[in-house]
Amino acid sequence: MTDLDDATRTELEAAAFRRLVAHLQARTDVQNIALMNLAGFCRNCLSNWLLDAARERDVVMTKDESREAVYGMPYEEWKARHQSEATPEQKAAFPGPGPH
């Protein structure tokens, strides 16, 4: 990607982001704690990164709006529909809060 202009690079990165979000929205069977334990980030992290990017650019966005953009629905609705209780093993492996 060394020969790409900034606009093209941004378009490609945005397309990859949209594809990742669509993939995570489709894979409701994959729990956030599993993502955190395996990859070190989850849907909440991704929504926080989106919110950070908005704030850095003085774009007005709430935490609820950033989560809905990533989850494809309000966060509380997603949790009610798709979130299951974490296993004791998942809880033990969870890295905890931090700069994910």
Side-chain angles (χ1 to χ4, degrees), residues 71-89:
Y71 283 90
M73 64 184 71
Y75 178 57
E76 293 302 321
E77 182 180 338
W78 190 93
K79 284 189 345 181
R81 286 186 183 189
H82 304 294
Q83 186 167 307
S84 60
E85 183 66 29
T87 67
E89 295 81 13

Side-chain angles (χ1 to χ4, degrees), residues 12-58:
L12 295 176
E13 291 168 349
F17 172 81
R18 288 189 296 269
R19 189 169 178 181
L20 172 61
V21 167
H23 181 76
L24 291 173
Q25 288 176 358
R27 291 297 312 268
T28 58
D29 59 310
V30 178
Q31 297 295 300
N32 280 334
I33 194 163
L35 287 169
M36 283 298 299
N37 288 343
L38 291 173
F41 82 100
C42 68
R43 293 170 183 88
N44 288 335
C45 298
L46 194 58
S47 69
N48 289 339
W49 299 339
L50 179 62
L51 183 59
D52 291 344
R55 288 178 176 162
E56 289 169 5
R57 290 157 183 80
D58 295 323

